[in-house]
Amino acid sequence: MTSKTPRTAEKPAAEPASYEDALAELEQLVQAMEGSSLPLDRLLDSYRRGAQLLEYCRGRLQAVEQQVKVLEQGQLKPLQDA
């Protein structure tokens, strides 16, 4: 039972280089998990990594949304009459 302790104590996975990289990795994890080809421990690790990637993606989307709001207030006008 103690042999599993180092597995859960692994160093955290690196942050993705970009939103697109995170999304691609997340898609790969989902495919592997849906295929049921992973042992239970790897399935749990994949779920944890997926949760990290999802949090990263949400954070990036919120940051971009905030930047768009700032631009809309400062310079951009909606194209409603187009």
Side-chain angles (χ1 to χ4, degrees):
M1 183 91 93
T2 58
S3 64
K4 294 186 183 197
T5 303
R7 184 169 187 80
T8 58
E10 291 177 359
K11 66 179 181 176
E15 187 171 281
S18 68
Y19 173 85
E20 290 78 11
D21 289 345
L23 194 57
E25 184 181 347
L26 187 56
E27 288 174 353
Q28 289 175 347
L29 286 172
V30 169
Q31 288 177 356
M33 291 170 68
E34 287 178 343
S36 302
S37 61
L38 298 175
L40 187 58
D41 287 343
R42 283 278 318 274
L43 190 61
L44 182 58
D45 289 343
S46 294
Y47 180 83
R48 287 181 181 141
R49 178 62 176 161
Q52 291 172 342
L53 292 167
L54 185 58
E55 183 179 338
Y56 173 85
C57 288
R58 285 181 177 160
R60 291 296 305 141
L61 287 173
Q62 287 175 349
V64 169
E65 181 181 5
Q66 186 61 36
Q67 290 175 4
V68 169
K69 285 180 181 178
V70 167
L71 287 173
E72 285 178 345
Q73 291 175 1
Q75 300 173 5
L76 300 177
K77 302 291 180 202
L79 298 174
Q80 295 174 350
D81 295 338

